[in-house]
Amino acid sequence: MPTPEVSQPVPALDIAGLTVRYGPVVALDDVSMTVHSGRICGLIGMNGSGKSTLFKSIMGLARPTAGRVTIAGHTIAQARARGLVSYVPQAENVDWEFPISVREVAMTGRYGRQNLFRRITSRDRTAVDDALDRVGLTDLADRQIGRLSGGQRKRAFVARGIAQGAEILLLDEPFAGVDKRSEATIIDLLRELTAAGRTVLISTHDLSTLPSFASEAVLLMQRVLVHDTPEEALRPENLALAFGVDVTGRDAEVNR
């Protein structure tokens, strides 16, 4: 009898041949990568390497010239409609003086699951309370968002993604400008989420801490140079390709 085929799990994120241009500028060039559920994938590269464009492409905010993005087996539009993916950009476009509380910011993550009239249900309140507890902001839930520190603000927007119930979290430089307590809180939370089967794609410039929390890493310079363990991605010869210098300080040719 023929051996029955074993079905492979659907990847959380599957990108094939993704190319994005801004006029004559190539932001992403034939990017292909696959990330499976329950993984933390670190995204590293110098400024201008395409990290933010990759996040925007996954969210459907940047139009590709070529290629495709599949999220948990769905198109981008389907995944967003189902609330499967949440994005925390590097810099939130927020009026910090606007009278909105931390709880209300987190509640915006529930909008996709509410009816046309945005009627808040007990399930919404429970999801928000749980998210705020997990990021350590319960005591500050009623504080105006602009009165938080940089690290607390970042945690508030991570809470929004958790409250949404997204299976895939995209975090663009969540450690930039945050205090060590907030960084540790976010890292512990990401570990909890991935242990429960969620998936995280996170960009960071803090290369020293990457191996302590990431399952894998992608080294990006318009295209994928390395997709392997954090230790392999951080080998000096690989970093030289992405950052243009090696550990001895000598210039290295950047593979574009």
Side-chain angles (χ1 to χ4, degrees), residues 9 22 30 32 42 45 124 191 198 205 229 239 249 254:
Y22 299 124
D30 195 27
S32 296
D124 294 328
R191 291 191 181 116
R198 297 189 188 182
H205 284 297
T229 64
L239 291 179
V254 176

Side-chain angles (χ1 to χ4, degrees), residues 188-249:
D188 287 345
L189 177 58
L190 298 183
R191 291 191 181 116
E192 291 177 12
L193 293 173
T194 52
R198 297 189 188 182
T199 307
V200 176
L201 181 62
I202 176 173
S203 70
T204 179
H205 284 297
D206 190 354
L207 305 185
S208 62
T209 62
L210 186 68
S212 69
F213 65 85
S215 316
E216 56 194 81
V218 169
L219 194 56
L220 190 69
M221 177 49 104
Q222 280 76 53
R223 60 172 56 215
V224 174
L225 302 178
V226 177
H227 186 178
D228 209 311
T229 64
E231 291 76 13
E232 181 64 25
L234 295 176
R235 288 170 63 91
E237 58 268 31
N238 289 330
L239 291 179
L241 292 175
F243 291 91
V245 294
D246 64 17
V247 290
T248 67

Side-chain angles (χ1 to χ4, degrees), residues 62-175:
R63 179 173 295 182
T65 305
R68 62 168 175 81
V69 175
T70 305
I71 302 171
H74 301 284
T75 66
I76 294 172
Q78 291 169 338
R80 292 194 64 177
R82 290 169 168 79
L84 297 179
V85 58
S86 179
Y87 174 40
V88 180
Q90 183 173 352
E92 292 285 349
N93 185 20
V94 173
D95 176 1
W96 299 112
E97 299 301 319
F98 190 77
I100 184 173
S101 70
V102 174
R103 185 187 308 279
E104 289 167 329
V105 167
M107 186 62 73
T108 62
R110 300 295 299 173
Y111 283 0
R113 299 180 182 276
Q114 294 172 349
N115 60 29
L116 183 63
F117 301 102
R118 297 273 189 261
R119 184 169 296 161
I120 297 174
T121 67
S122 59
R123 180 175 294 182
D124 294 328
R125 293 190 183 91
T126 298
V128 167
D129 287 345
D130 176 67
L132 292 175
D133 178 63
R134 298 180 80 168
V135 301
L137 291 179
T138 298
D139 293 343
L140 301 176
D142 297 318
R143 181 169 295 186
Q144 192 268 338
I145 187 68
R147 294 177 57 203
L148 300 185
S149 68
Q152 291 168 339
R153 291 176 183 179
K154 189 69 70 172
R155 282 191 273 155
F157 284 96
V158 171
R160 181 182 64 179
I162 296 171
Q164 179 180 321
E167 294 297 319
I168 302 167
L169 289 174
L170 310 178
L171 306 179
D172 194 356
E173 296 291 347
F175 306 135

